[in-house]
Amino acid sequence: MRWSGQELGVEQSGTLPGLAKLNNLVRSVQTPEFAGVTFHEVLAKSALNKVPGQSMVPFGWTINPYRGCSHACVYCLAPETEITLADGRSAPLWSVEVGDMVIGTRVDDGMRRYVQSKVVAKWSTRKPAYRVMLADGTSIVASGDHRFLTERGWKHVTGAMSGRGQRPHLTTGNSLKGFGRGLRPAGPPPSVLSREYMRGYLTGMIRGDGMMLRREYPRARGGSYIAHRFRLALADAEALARSRMYLEQFGVRTTEFPFSAATSSRRQMTAIRTSRHSDYDAISAIVAWPHSADSLWRAGFLGGIFDAEGSCSNGVMRISNADETMISASMEALSHFGLDGTIEPPAQNGVRSVRVRGGLAAREAFFNVAQPAITRKLQIAGATVKTHADLQVVAIEDLGEIIDMLDITTTTGDFIANGVVSHNCFARPTHTYLDLDAGDDFDRQIIVKVNVAEVLRTELAKPSWRHDHVALGTNTDPYQRAEGRYSLMPGIIDALTTSGTPFSILTKGTLLRRDLPQLADAATHVPVDLAMSIAVYDHELQQSVEPGTPSTKARLATVTAVRDAGLDCAVFLMPILPYLTDTRAHLDEALRQAKAAGATSVLYTALHLRPGVKPWFMQWLEREHPELVPKYRSMYYGNNAYAPKEYRRWLGQRMRPLIRAHGLEQGREDPVTGGVRSSAPAPSRHVSGSLPDVFGRPPDPSALF
């Protein structure tokens, strides 16, 4: 969307610089009933926003009367493609969002190096798929248009030597640049929430860096007593939080305390401890060497010993310890996963080191297996792009099908996909040229397209309009508080209805009830789908995380009002907060209330914390529920935005029988969001998590709901 029109003047001073650049600003308004909020009234040139390409979302057009933009680009990687993040970890492409930091490359002084790069845009499409196979075992599914960096420059996956399709393209004589994924063991990464992984991690961590003391002391009045002491002191909060949370899972509760202050040469250290006899015995049993270690235990052990005694600098990864048993166990675990380790000669202090060989490919494979917690040890930014693995193209296979694909645009123009340097497809940045940030401005600087209904009527009257489905609520809530002032929705609903255009609305605003008679009438002419976002069913918690928003009771009453008007209504039970709203009792009560209100289907997903939201949410958690901070840090460590797959699988196992028990529609997992969407025919046009308040950007608690 591009705004244009005649500048009519500004009512308020202090208009945002980015908006002042536009020539369509009517005025900026502040009113007492909306304290702290500024409405920037603009004249929109367009109302309909086209979803790029054939997106995975099941609608082609959106309307955002209060804020929005659109872009059209080509995308061409499979959603499960692993993207290397700025902290050295990797994540599937479907989970990477605008604003995330990833690894790209830059050429300095003739040398290409890995550098941090920001994601500025993301799109989706459906395109014919090709699989590129490399000699080291790496494979990557992409469209024929995608480009990879080879020893001879950038090349498309497919092309021709002459004619219309002539362009540089891959052949079996090319070798790609990067580190590849051929060393990575088959299968998904181990779950850091599995019991054996936790046991292995604690063994590596505590045996590597912990203190366990059992000693007899004399009593002042005669006799003696046996003291039991456990302590783990670390400078890295991520590993300490994970260790503490894991111990809690085994019934061991510890206390945290400052261990040593920072100096000019050492960082501040914090420790956890317990002196209970039962805790000491429990920890001893946890870290006992297993008779037969499985893969999960070995992966956890490598993660724990690396967090405790590992290092990764100048391209060299080492695990150091003075205990020969620890060194032997590290070598055995590396060998189990097909990684090449060598034991270096002992230092003068008797400490020996295991060095992992194989360059960045081996390091990436190690991180994928071990899942260490400490972010600073995983960095690859600054390293030279050197290809140790055999990344020669051995085959390019036409898969013979059209599949959903995604792509991103970064500030460096490239990123690392499945371990190889991948070029951005054509894209353009989002509307940051308006100088609006995704935090406070999202809530307090509201752009209002005051002429949206008039413009929409003109667009819908064009002979080229094909009466495709239009979705409202996919970007911002159409029934947010501003709608009470501007009443744009009645005009939008009328324009859609009279043109014969089907539409859907997703909202958490009870103002929807104002328009129910009009919506009921519209449903007699065109298909209309309605859904309410209701995440929390505990009143005190709802008030804490959603200040200033309609209560759960009010939203449920809106569901009932929708049903009384003769319309179906879905309930979006998202996000579900781990350890807060995921208990069986809370979920059962939530579904009971949704059913009693008349909901025709329920959609759910676990909490998603984008980088821009995570710091704010953790501050809220530390203030309101400090006992949960270690657990959340473990689940959402580093750049992890989604709850671990193990948790989402557990949540599904809990939700499915409850959904059936309450007679609500069963759901299925959404491959993009990790959420679950209804399989019911209505509201089939909604996509799980389409309301950005769920996965989103605003800085107040209601932003997550």
Side-chain angles (χ1 to χ4, degrees):
M1 182 197 72
R2 292 291 185 182
W3 290 306
S4 67
Q6 182 179 5
E7 182 174 355
L8 302 181
V10 178
E11 182 175 291
Q12 283 284 336
S13 61
T15 300
L16 294 179
L19 291 172
K21 298 175 185 177
L22 301 174
N23 65 353
N24 68 325
L25 180 64
V26 178
R27 60 178 184 170
S28 295
V29 182
Q30 293 178 343
T31 61
E33 64 268 29
F34 292 93
V37 177
T38 301
F39 297 107
H40 303 283
E41 299 175 1
V42 300
L43 295 177
K45 183 179 180 180
S46 63
L48 288 165
N49 298 320
K50 180 74 171 68
V51 176
Q54 296 183 30
S55 172
M56 287 188 298
V57 295
F59 48 81
W61 298 87
T62 66
I63 301 172
N64 298 294
Y66 293 100
R67 188 171 185 261
C69 63
S70 67
H71 11 249
C73 292
V74 179
Y75 301 94
C76 40
L77 286 174
E80 293 298 328
T81 304
E82 291 288 321
I83 307 302
T84 303
L85 306 178
D87 64 5
R89 297 185 173 92
S90 62
L93 177 56
W94 57 259
S95 72
V96 177
E97 299 292 345
V98 172
D100 289 355
M101 298 301 295
V102 299
I103 289 293
T105 71
R106 181 176 293 123
V107 177
D108 292 319
D109 298 326
M111 298 291 292
R112 185 176 292 272
R113 298 182 183 278
Y114 296 105
V115 297
Q116 292 193 11
S117 185
K118 186 176 182 178
V119 178
V120 295
K122 180 180 180 181
W123 298 270
S124 61
T125 190
R126 287 179 58 82
K127 302 194 74 177
Y130 296 82
R131 177 179 287 111
V132 179
M133 300 292 298
L134 308 181
D136 76 328
T138 298
S139 70
I140 184 168
V141 175
S143 74
D145 298 319
H146 203 77
R147 287 186 288 170
F148 296 102
L149 184 61
T150 75
E151 82 288 2
R152 298 181 180 179
W154 294 101
K155 292 195 173 186
H156 296 271
V157 171
T158 62
M161 299 301 295
S162 61
R164 292 183 58 186
Q166 182 178 2
R167 62 185 181 183
H169 63 279
L170 296 179
T171 69
T172 53
N174 294 136
S175 290
L176 303 191
K177 293 293 186 179
F179 46 83
R181 295 182 65 202
L183 288 177
R184 177 179 288 194
S191 168
V192 298
L193 295 180
S194 65
R195 203 162 181 82
E196 283 306 299
Y197 177 93
M198 291 191 287
R199 190 184 296 275
Y201 183 90
L202 291 172
T203 302
M205 172 59 71
I206 294 172
R207 286 185 175 272
D209 212 17
M211 186 278 289
M212 295 191 68
L213 174 69
R214 183 172 184 169
R215 184 177 298 174
E216 185 175 356
Y217 291 94
R219 296 186 183 275
R221 297 183 179 181
S224 63
Y225 70 96
I226 297 177
H228 300 82
R229 302 284 187 270
F230 162 76
R231 185 188 69 215
L232 178 64
L234 298 171
D236 294 281
E238 296 157 309
L240 192 67
R242 182 188 282 193
S243 299
R244 190 179 187 189
M245 191 274 283
Y246 283 0
L247 287 170
E248 288 184 2
Q249 298 301 308
F250 287 98
V252 177
R253 301 185 65 84
T254 59
T255 56
E256 184 175 307
F257 66 98
F259 183 74
S260 63
T263 67
S264 58
S265 59
R266 297 187 62 180
R267 295 181 296 147
Q268 175 183 327
M269 297 186 71
T270 305
I272 56 175
R273 65 186 172 192
T274 179
S275 58
R276 288 186 289 271
H277 184 181
S278 59
D279 288 343
Y280 183 94
D281 289 344
I283 295 172
S284 298
I286 293 168
V287 303
W289 294 108
H291 296 295
S292 178
D294 63 11
S295 293
L296 285 171
W297 186 95
R298 289 185 174 99
F301 176 79
L302 288 175
I305 188 62
F306 182 77
D307 279 342
E309 302 283 4
S311 64
C312 191
S313 60
N314 298 321
V316 179
M317 175 185 290
R318 289 186 174 91
I319 297 172
S320 303
N321 203 277
D323 188 336
E324 288 291 340
T325 304
M326 296 292 286
I327 295 296
S328 297
S330 299
M331 285 291 292
E332 191 278 332
L334 289 171
S335 177
H336 175 81
F337 291 110
L339 298 173
D340 183 12
T342 182
I343 301 177
E344 298 180 332
Q348 291 184 350
N349 60 2
V351 174
R352 307 195 73 176
S353 296
V354 172
R355 178 163 56 89
V356 180
R357 296 184 292 194
L360 286 180
R363 180 163 66 172
E364 195 268 349
F366 177 90
F367 292 158
N368 180 71
V369 165
Q371 302 286 300
I374 301 177
T375 298
R376 67 176 179 83
K377 295 184 179 184
L378 312 183
Q379 300 288 340
I380 69 171
T384 304
V385 179
K386 295 181 179 179
T387 304
H388 296 279
D390 186 353
L391 300 184
Q392 182 175 351
V393 177
V394 296
I396 302 171
E397 178 186 1
D398 184 347
L399 298 183
E401 60 178 334
I402 297 174
I403 67 171
D404 295 322
M405 292 189 181
L406 300 168
D407 214 342
I408 55 177
T409 293
T410 69
T411 51
T412 57
D414 63 0
F415 55 95
I416 311 304
N418 280 9
V420 295
V421 183
S422 170
H423 197 281
N424 289 172
C425 289
F426 172 76
R428 56 187 171 89
T430 58
H431 60 294
T432 53
Y433 64 88
L434 293 176
D435 294 339
L436 292 174
D437 64 44
D440 190 61
D441 288 345
F442 188 88
D443 269 356
R444 300 187 181 279
Q445 306 293 338
I446 307 300
I447 299 170
V448 185
K449 304 171 199 174
V450 291
N451 64 333
V452 63
E454 176 186 348
V455 172
L456 179 62
R457 291 182 190 278
T458 301
E459 292 177 332
L460 296 176
K462 293 180 179 179
S464 59
W465 176 242
R466 301 175 61 87
H467 301 88
D468 296 324
H469 175 84
V470 174
L472 293 100
T474 63
N475 187 23
T476 53
D477 195 328
Y479 284 103
Q480 61 181 273
R481 293 173 62 209
E483 174 63 14
R485 172 184 173 88
Y486 288 97
S487 296
L488 300 180
M489 284 298 292
I492 293 173
I493 294 169
D494 183 67
L496 292 168
T497 304
T498 56
S499 69
T501 299
F503 63 93
S504 60
I505 299 173
L506 169 61
T507 182
K508 61 181 176 181
T510 57
L511 191 57
L512 172 72
R513 297 164 74 172
R514 180 198 67 191
D515 296 338
L516 282 178
Q518 185 182 10
L519 288 167
D521 179 69
T524 64
H525 301 281
V526 296
V528 176
D529 292 336
L530 302 178
M532 285 293 297
S533 175
I534 313 175
V536 182
Y537 292 75
D538 177 277
H539 180 71
E540 291 186 5
L541 180 61
Q542 191 270 335
Q543 291 296 305
S544 175
V545 298
E546 297 185 309
T549 62
S551 67
T552 298
K553 182 178 179 180
R555 284 185 241 180
L556 287 168
T558 303
V559 173
T560 302
V562 172
R563 298 293 286 126
D564 289 344
L567 299 168
D568 287 343
C569 188
V571 166
F572 276 36
L573 181 59
M574 54 177 68
I576 294 174
L577 301 177
Y579 304 102
L580 285 172
T581 63
D582 63 354
T583 64
R584 188 180 300 276
H586 185 278
L587 295 174
D588 185 60
E589 179 62 16
L591 294 172
R592 185 195 67 78
Q593 292 189 36
K595 180 66 174 180
T600 47
S601 60
V602 170
L603 303 84
Y604 68 90
T605 190
L607 176 67
H608 171 169
L609 290 176
R610 286 182 178 175
V613 171
K614 187 181 297 185
W616 164 82
F617 182 82
M618 293 306 296
Q619 290 177 7
W620 174 84
L621 196 68
E622 288 173 356
R623 183 179 71 250
E624 300 292 335
H625 299 279
E627 75 283 0
L628 297 180
V629 170
K631 297 179 180 180
Y632 272 74
R633 283 178 176 165
S634 178
M635 291 181 69
Y636 296 95
Y637 64 86
N639 279 345
N640 282 7
Y642 289 89
K645 288 184 178 179
E646 184 75 14
Y647 175 84
R648 300 203 307 267
R649 187 180 303 114
W650 171 87
L651 182 62
Q653 292 171 349
R654 170 160 289 186
M655 283 293 294
R656 283 190 291 272
L658 290 174
I659 290 174
R660 288 194 298 269
H662 288 281
L664 293 161
E665 295 292 338
Q666 285 232 6
R668 58 187 176 87
E669 186 170 353
D670 188 303
V672 177
T673 66
V676 173
R677 56 186 177 183
S678 174
S679 60
S684 60
R685 300 175 183 90
H686 285 300
V687 63
S688 173
S690 60
L691 189 65
D693 294 358
V694 177
F695 298 111
R697 303 164 289 198
D700 66 71
S702 64
L704 296 173
F705 296 83

